[in-house]
Structures are given as structure tokens and as C-alpha cells.
Amino acid sequence: MEEIDFYLDHAREMMDKAVQHASFEFTKIRAGKASPNMLDGLMVVYYGNPTPMNQVASVTTPDARTISVKPWEKSLINEIEKAIRNSDLGLNPQNDGELIRLNIPPLTEERRIQLVKQAKSEAENGKISIRNVRKDVNDSLKKLQKDGTAEDIVKSAEDDVQKLTDSHAAKIEELLALKEKDIMTI
């Protein structure tokens, strides 16, 4: 049935987005080595408006333990430094007037455990999103059944939605296992 296929396609698309979002959030969690992605969520006040860091500066990694941030306008260097200090990254920016350097310290065991907890939290958020999609689609399918669609067709569609839910939750678990291994590797 066309409407059921639409709901299943919608569920697959939304669950794929939840997995992609969880994957993106994992890239923000540092695993002991420098990555420009670590600064992706930071906003800098630029002419009174919060602007993503990568739109006001060049963010590079000259080596495995350093991130350098070169603002496109020198007047922004203090705003960028303030954004980094106020973030939850725990990094201490070093400002030389033209460039901000961030030295990434090696992770302590305690910090690694905190980062694993953060990764697990992001994974759980992804799974919650997937379950919410499942609930919404199942509600739509039940509405179709009330409107006269055969019960066995709706039941089959609900089973398909559950299979999608299980496979997407498994993908998030795989991503989490990889991130956890990455964080705990010294």
C-alpha cells in the first residue's frame, strides 16, 4: 500500500538522520588527538551575532597534539579566545596576537572515563530519537488501521518499523563501540 510505504520510507530516512547526528556528535568528543571537528559546536560573537567558529577563522591541526585557529579578521581573536575558554572542552588557548594555539593534553584515565560517559549519553540520545520515530510512525499506522486499512497489513508494517528500529540502534551501538575503543586507546 502506498501510504504504508511512505511511512516506512519516512521512518528509514529519519532513523538514518539520527544515526548521522550521533556520528557527528561523536566526532566532537576528543580522543586524545587534535581534530578541527572539536571546535565545530563553538559560536563566536561576530558583529553582535553568534557565528560558527569555522565561518570566522581557519581551524587546522599542524600536528597530532595542536589545533591552530587563525581568524580572518584580527579583531576577532579575543572573541574566539573567549569562546574557547567558555566552552566545556577544557582547553587553554594561547594567543600570540595573530593565531590561537590549543595544545591537546594527553588524556588521563579519569578524563577518558568521562568522555566514554559523554559518548554513551550521545548514543542514548540517538536511540531515543530512533524510538521517537518508531512511535510516531506506529501511531500513524494505527490511524490508518482506524481508517479502514487491514489489520494484518498494519501489523506487518509495524514489524518492519521494529526491524528498522533494531538495525539503526545497532548501528549506533557499533559507532559507540568504535568511539569507546578510540577513547580508551592510550
Side-chain angles (χ1 to χ4, degrees), residues 2-21:
E2 222 174 280
E3 276 185 280
I4 289 178
D5 290 341
F6 169 78
Y7 287 126
L8 291 175
D9 288 342
H10 177 70
R12 185 175 296 109
E13 184 181 323
M14 296 307 290
M15 288 180 187
D16 284 344
K17 284 183 181 178
V19 171
Q20 288 171 351
H21 181 73

Side-chain angles (χ1 to χ4, degrees), residues 10-171:
H10 177 70
R12 185 175 296 109
E13 184 181 323
M14 296 307 290
M15 288 180 187
D16 284 344
K17 284 183 181 178
V19 171
Q20 288 171 351
H21 181 73
S23 177
F24 176 72
E25 291 300 320
F26 287 154
T27 63
K28 291 183 187 176
I29 300 172
R30 71 185 181 101
K33 48 191 171 288
S35 166
N37 295 347
M38 291 168 59
L39 303 180
D40 276 356
L42 294 184
M43 301 299 259
V44 177
V45 177
Y46 181 58
Y47 291 111
N49 296 320
T51 308
M53 174 84 66
N54 61 5
Q55 291 183 14
V56 296
S58 168
V59 181
T60 58
T61 50
D63 61 59
R65 292 255 179 241
T66 310
I67 297 175
S68 74
V69 181
K70 183 166 178 63
W72 293 323
E73 293 180 27
K74 284 186 182 177
S75 62
L76 282 175
I77 201 156
N78 291 328
E79 286 295 331
I80 291 172
E81 187 176 10
K82 189 163 70 171
I84 293 169
R85 281 192 199 285
N86 294 340
S87 72
D88 62 350
L89 293 172
L91 299 175
N92 191 19
Q94 297 167 346
N95 177 350
D96 69 6
E98 294 207 4
L99 188 73
I100 294 176
R101 284 188 186 79
L102 302 167
N103 291 318
I104 310 298
L107 295 173
T108 63
E109 187 67 23
E110 183 180 310
R111 183 69 177 138
R112 287 178 194 278
I113 291 169
Q114 281 179 329
L115 292 174
V116 167
K117 283 181 185 175
Q118 187 180 345
K120 286 181 178 178
S121 171
E122 291 299 341
E124 188 56 36
N125 289 342
K127 288 194 243 175
I128 288 169
S129 295
I130 289 170
R131 290 192 296 263
N132 285 339
V133 171
R134 176 188 62 192
K135 180 186 175 303
D136 292 346
V137 171
N138 281 343
D139 288 348
S140 298
L141 291 172
K142 283 184 181 18
K143 189 171 180 234
L144 279 179
Q145 185 178 344
K146 283 182 184 173
D147 293 345
T149 305
E151 184 178 339
D152 57 337
I153 293 173
V154 171
K155 187 70 179 143
S156 172
E158 286 176 346
D159 291 343
D160 291 343
V161 171
Q162 185 58 48
K163 287 176 190 166
L164 280 174
T165 303
D166 294 342
S167 71
H168 284 80
K171 286 178 189 173

